[in-house]
Amino acid sequence: MDMAIVAFLLGVVVFLFVLRRIVRTMPRETERQSYRRWRTCTRKRAYDTRKQAQTVVHRHAREGDVVHAYRCPWCRRWHVGHPPPLRRG
């Protein structure tokens, strides 16, 4: 085999080995975080701007529903949802 091909294949093997180590050390999302992401982000429609989300909020307000727009910590876009319940105590 040509030395250039051997060097290339060795480089690919080293790269894959390093990539595998990096992926293994990355923190995994817990079940609770995954569920929270699903509830607040994944299952909801995302809006690019706050103005777009506020338009939807006003539409809901005309129908008597109380919702608010918020910036999503995961996708950094805007969602519309019901406000969290007030904590007592």
Side-chain angles (χ1 to χ4, degrees), residues 22-71:
I22 291 171
V23 169
R24 281 185 175 177
T25 59
M26 290 173 63
R28 292 204 171 133
E29 198 171 54
T30 65
E31 275 188 45
R32 184 181 186 121
Q33 290 170 330
S34 177
Y35 176 72
R36 179 174 276 163
R37 179 190 297 241
W38 176 79
R39 288 276 305 197
T40 61
C41 181
T42 307
R43 71 185 183 127
K44 294 185 177 181
R45 179 173 289 159
Y47 301 95
D48 293 325
T49 65
R50 183 178 186 162
K51 187 175 182 178
Q52 291 173 337
Q54 284 299 116
T55 303
V56 175
V57 168
H58 293 305
R59 189 178 316 137
H60 279 270
R62 284 194 307 258
E63 298 171 3
D65 195 10
V66 178
V67 294
H68 74 287
Y70 63 93
R71 183 95 186 242

